[in-house]
Amino acid sequence: MITTTAVVTSTKPVKRVKVAETACAPIACKDCGIYQLCLTVGGDVDLSLLDSLVKNRRTYKRGELIYRIGEPYRAAFAIRSGAVKTSVLTDDGRVQVTGFHIPGEVLGLNAIINDRYNCEARALETTCVCEVPFDHYEELAHGIPGLQHQMLKIMSQEIVHNQEMMLLLGKKKAEERLATFLVNLSRRLERHGRPALEFKLSMSRSDIGNYLGLAEETVCRVITRFEESSLISTERRLVRLGQMDRLQAMAAGRSSLE
Amino acid sequence: MITTTAVVTSTKPVKRVKVAETACAPIACKDCGIYQLCLTVGGDVDLSLLDSLVKNRRTYKRGELIYRIGEPYRAAFAIRSGAVKTSVLTDDGRVQVTGFHIPGEVLGLNAIINDRYNCEARALETTCVCEVPFDHYEELAHGIPGLQHQMLKIMSQEIVHNQEMMLLLGKKKAEERLATFLVNLSRRLERHGRPALEFKLSMSRSDIGNYLGLAEETVCRVITRFEESSLISTERRLVRLGQMDRLQAMAAGRSSLE
DNA sequence: CGTATCCTTGATGCCTCTCAAGACGGGTGG
DNA sequence: CCACCCGTCTTGAGAGGCATCAAGGATACG
């Protein structure tokens, strides 16, 4: 996604500060997902908690693995900048991309229980993540009522998203799949305060195809058809969504080309 | 699944009893999923907790709705006997079956956070469930360390299962899908102490097809091919798995017919 | 400036869907 | 108890959407 060079200001421990969810205070990790974790029910943020949770901040280059399937659990990861794809494997080596993750989202939380990562995560471009070692998450969660709630919420969101993907993969046609993908990505970018109608894809056509259960070539062809219908316009990985309403209708199966 | 007429003995409150996970003590709800929830890390079961959690026990007839999408959250449900299917919908009315659930499994936990069910659940046959009203789950979880862990575990399992379904729907061929379905169902039946190589399907070919992203007719045809290869034998909804090893190989994509 | 990677477009084939019709079985009412 | 009916299952024929194979062009990067 569009690379933003966030200025990292050092955070002196401050006690519980009220911050509107949409505000954009210059706080370290404000724009990464740890913030999400540290949001209490009322919207307060415990900044000292925030500070104490993040033990490490690391940058991964394009193509680098953040974690592998089956690897012992080290930490959860909150994406500060860049983009990450997660994927699972069949025994015979086929790959299914299960998700793309953008700044502000949290990765690897569900591995807490199994003590092993159940998918692999790979940087799609230069990506900066905050590592949150959750070795003793139970004591942590015990001390911080809001944290536990946020964890459940994030896992719950993932379940809902996966259910939507099952619907897409099981029932939707190629055009509907791509429309769904674009609309969903646009919404998430908007949620994190980025341009929602014009953005740069960080993943290849091949990755998109894999994610959507389509061949790379089919993705290209559908994109071409979308452009011919002036639904969108593209230039390599740059995308402009021209007619959001029609795109949404198509994503829901309420419209199609021809 | 095979209907068992479980004898429900009344449970006088007993304090923490050590029970082996595989044991089959005559405890109410022993064989339903609430047991799962009440297992502490060490394997202890708090029977008084068990008793206090289950507020209601209800039977649903074949086709009856247990909950709808968007409906306000009432409770989680642990299946005692029978079988349940869960499904999600597109805006234009298409349905995707997201799972089949057998006795010993828990339903509707992830709705806790959103306060609304994110899928609908329907009884496939006469089904008895324990209702667990989790209105104040946070205080509950606070008092019972093991409970929170179990909830995370169940949600975590669901995420892993959904990821496997995405792989299946995105990458596997019809034969591999059906083999995966049969092997998975067999494993779960075994886990709950039921015959794993010969069982009765509680869902129609149409439901199976919907779940696997296939047409009803394709399911029939693949079943026929499996029988011709003596991989399995069937009689209506009765299934016998003849060659589990070949079936597993096929599920993983390491083998195919012809 | 060369090379590797990614994107695009065309031609062909196949897997699966759709439509159709018949068989089978279970349940119900006369 | 039997006949009927309806839902479910099965099998066939045909069509279509998408995958696959192939090749050329664009772009980025060293």
Side-chain angles (χ1 to χ4, degrees):
Chain A
M1 317 292 113
I2 297 155
T3 313
T4 52
T5 49
V7 179
V8 182
T9 58
S10 74
T11 45
K12 306 293 175 196
V14 186
K15 296 293 172 190
R16 299 188 170 272
V17 182
K18 187 84 177 180
V19 186
E21 290 206 31
T22 50
C24 196
I27 301 167
C29 272
K30 161 66 186 75
D31 43 34
C32 83
I34 290 298
Y35 185 79
Q36 230 187 106
L37 275 178
C38 300
L39 268 181
T40 58
V41 194
D44 285 326
V45 172
D46 189 332
L47 290 183
S48 53
L49 164 64
L50 198 93
D51 229 35
S52 69
L53 279 180
V54 179
K55 288 282 179 277
N56 201 357
R57 195 169 296 153
R58 192 184 148 183
T59 300
Y60 295 84
K61 283 201 284 270
R62 168 193 155 90
E64 262 190 290
L65 269 173
I66 299 172
Y67 53 81
R68 293 172 202 276
I69 298 175
E71 194 177 293
Y73 188 63
R74 300 197 307 278
F77 301 88
I79 306 174
R80 280 185 62 74
S81 66
V84 176
K85 74 171 172 184
T86 48
S87 50
V88 294
L89 309 172
T90 53
D91 297 359
D92 65 327
R94 273 172 291 182
V95 179
Q96 170 72 40
V97 173
T98 53
F100 299 111
H101 308 274
I102 62 177
E105 298 181 336
V106 181
L107 229 62
L109 257 190
N110 58 50
I112 285 179
I113 296 302
N114 301 325
D115 286 331
R116 304 196 166 275
Y117 295 102
N118 49 40
C119 61
E120 72 165 44
R122 196 181 290 272
L124 284 165
E125 55 186 79
T126 303
T127 296
C128 181
V129 302
C130 296
E131 296 194 9
V132 190
F134 262 134
D135 320 340
H136 357 275
Y137 90 97
E138 294 220 353
E139 23 188 292
L140 267 176
H142 212 71
I144 311 145
L147 181 63
Q148 182 199 332
H149 191 272
Q150 285 301 317
M151 281 180 51
L152 284 171
K153 186 156 198 162
I154 290 171
M155 288 179 70
S156 192
Q157 281 171 348
E158 184 166 348
I159 289 176
V160 170
H161 176 260
N162 288 351
Q163 283 177 348
E164 283 166 6
M165 282 307 293
M166 287 165 63
L167 184 65
L168 179 145
L169 293 168
K171 296 286 171 296
K172 292 188 178 180
K173 295 196 180 302
E175 282 175 4
E176 297 167 359
R177 297 188 193 195
L178 198 69
T180 304
F181 168 71
L182 291 172
V183 169
N184 180 288
L185 186 53
S186 174
R187 283 215 191 104
R188 284 157 59 205
L189 287 169
E190 190 172 33
R191 186 183 311 154
H192 295 298
R194 289 156 183 266
L197 295 179
E198 180 168 349
F199 47 86
K200 189 164 169 295
L201 298 172
S202 51
M203 67 296 281
S204 68
R205 304 287 194 264
S206 171
D207 280 334
I208 296 174
N210 187 307
Y211 178 57
L212 298 177
L214 299 171
E216 181 181 357
E217 296 92 326
T218 305
V219 174
C220 280
R221 276 184 256 266
V222 174
I223 287 178
T224 303
R225 265 184 278 164
F226 279 7
E227 290 198 89
E228 286 168 357
S229 310
S230 56
L231 261 177
I232 67 173
S233 60
T234 67
E235 194 187 326
R236 299 290 278 189
R237 292 191 177 182
L238 189 67
V239 183
R240 267 181 302 276
L241 308 186
Q243 306 188 37
M244 196 53 166
D245 45 350
R246 280 182 65 200
L247 216 52
Q248 287 171 336
M250 182 168 298
R254 284 182 280 104
S255 152
S256 78
L257 301 179
E258 357 138 35
Chain B
M1 316 295 115
I2 298 157
T3 313
T4 52
T5 49
V7 179
V8 183
T9 58
S10 74
T11 45
K12 305 294 177 198
V14 186
K15 296 292 172 192
R16 298 187 171 274
V17 182
K18 186 85 177 180
V19 186
E21 288 204 33
T22 50
C24 196
I27 301 167
C29 272
K30 162 66 185 75
D31 44 34
C32 84
I34 292 299
Y35 185 79
Q36 229 186 108
L37 276 177
C38 300
L39 267 181
T40 59
V41 194
D44 285 326
V45 172
D46 189 334
L47 290 182
S48 53
L49 164 64
L50 199 95
D51 227 37
S52 68
L53 279 179
V54 179
K55 287 282 178 278
N56 201 357
R57 194 168 297 152
R58 193 183 147 185
T59 299
Y60 295 84
K61 284 201 284 268
R62 168 192 153 91
E64 261 189 290
L65 269 173
I66 299 171
Y67 54 81
R68 293 172 202 275
I69 298 175
E71 195 177 293
Y73 187 63
R74 300 197 308 278
F77 300 88
I79 307 174
R80 280 187 61 75
S81 66
V84 176
K85 73 170 172 186
T86 48
S87 50
V88 294
L89 309 173
T90 53
D91 297 0
D92 64 328
R94 273 172 290 181
V95 178
Q96 170 72 40
V97 173
T98 53
F100 299 112
H101 308 273
I102 62 176
E105 298 180 336
V106 180
L107 230 61
L109 256 192
N110 57 50
I112 285 179
I113 296 301
N114 302 325
D115 287 330
R116 302 195 168 274
Y117 295 103
N118 49 39
C119 61
E120 72 167 43
R122 195 181 290 271
L124 284 165
E125 55 187 79
T126 303
T127 295
C128 181
V129 303
C130 296
E131 297 194 10
V132 189
F134 263 134
D135 321 341
H136 357 275
Y137 89 98
E138 294 219 355
E139 24 188 293
L140 267 177
H142 211 70
I144 311 144
L147 181 62
Q148 184 199 332
H149 190 273
Q150 285 300 316
M151 281 180 52
L152 284 172
K153 186 155 199 165
I154 290 171
M155 288 179 70
S156 192
Q157 282 171 349
E158 185 166 348
I159 289 176
V160 170
H161 176 261
N162 288 351
Q163 283 177 348
E164 282 166 6
M165 282 308 293
M166 287 165 65
L167 184 65
L168 179 146
L169 293 168
K171 295 286 171 296
K172 292 189 179 179
K173 297 198 177 304
E175 281 174 4
E176 297 168 357
R177 296 188 193 195
L178 197 68
T180 304
F181 169 71
L182 291 172
V183 169
N184 180 288
L185 186 53
S186 174
R187 283 215 191 103
R188 284 156 58 205
L189 288 169
E190 190 174 31
R191 184 183 311 152
H192 296 297
R194 290 157 182 267
L197 295 178
E198 180 167 352
F199 47 85
K200 190 165 170 294
L201 299 171
S202 51
M203 67 296 280
S204 68
R205 303 287 194 264
S206 172
D207 280 334
I208 297 174
N210 187 306
Y211 178 58
L212 298 177
L214 300 171
E216 182 181 356
E217 296 92 325
T218 304
V219 173
C220 280
R221 277 184 257 266
V222 174
I223 288 178
T224 303
R225 265 184 277 162
F226 279 7
E227 290 198 270
E228 287 168 357
S229 311
S230 57
L231 260 177
I232 67 174
S233 61
T234 67
E235 194 186 326
R236 301 290 279 188
R237 292 192 175 183
L238 189 67
V239 183
R240 268 182 301 277
L241 308 186
Q243 306 187 38
M244 197 50 167
D245 45 350
R246 280 183 65 199
L247 216 52
Q248 287 171 336
M250 181 169 297
R254 285 183 279 104
S255 150
S256 80
L257 300 178
E258 338 139 45

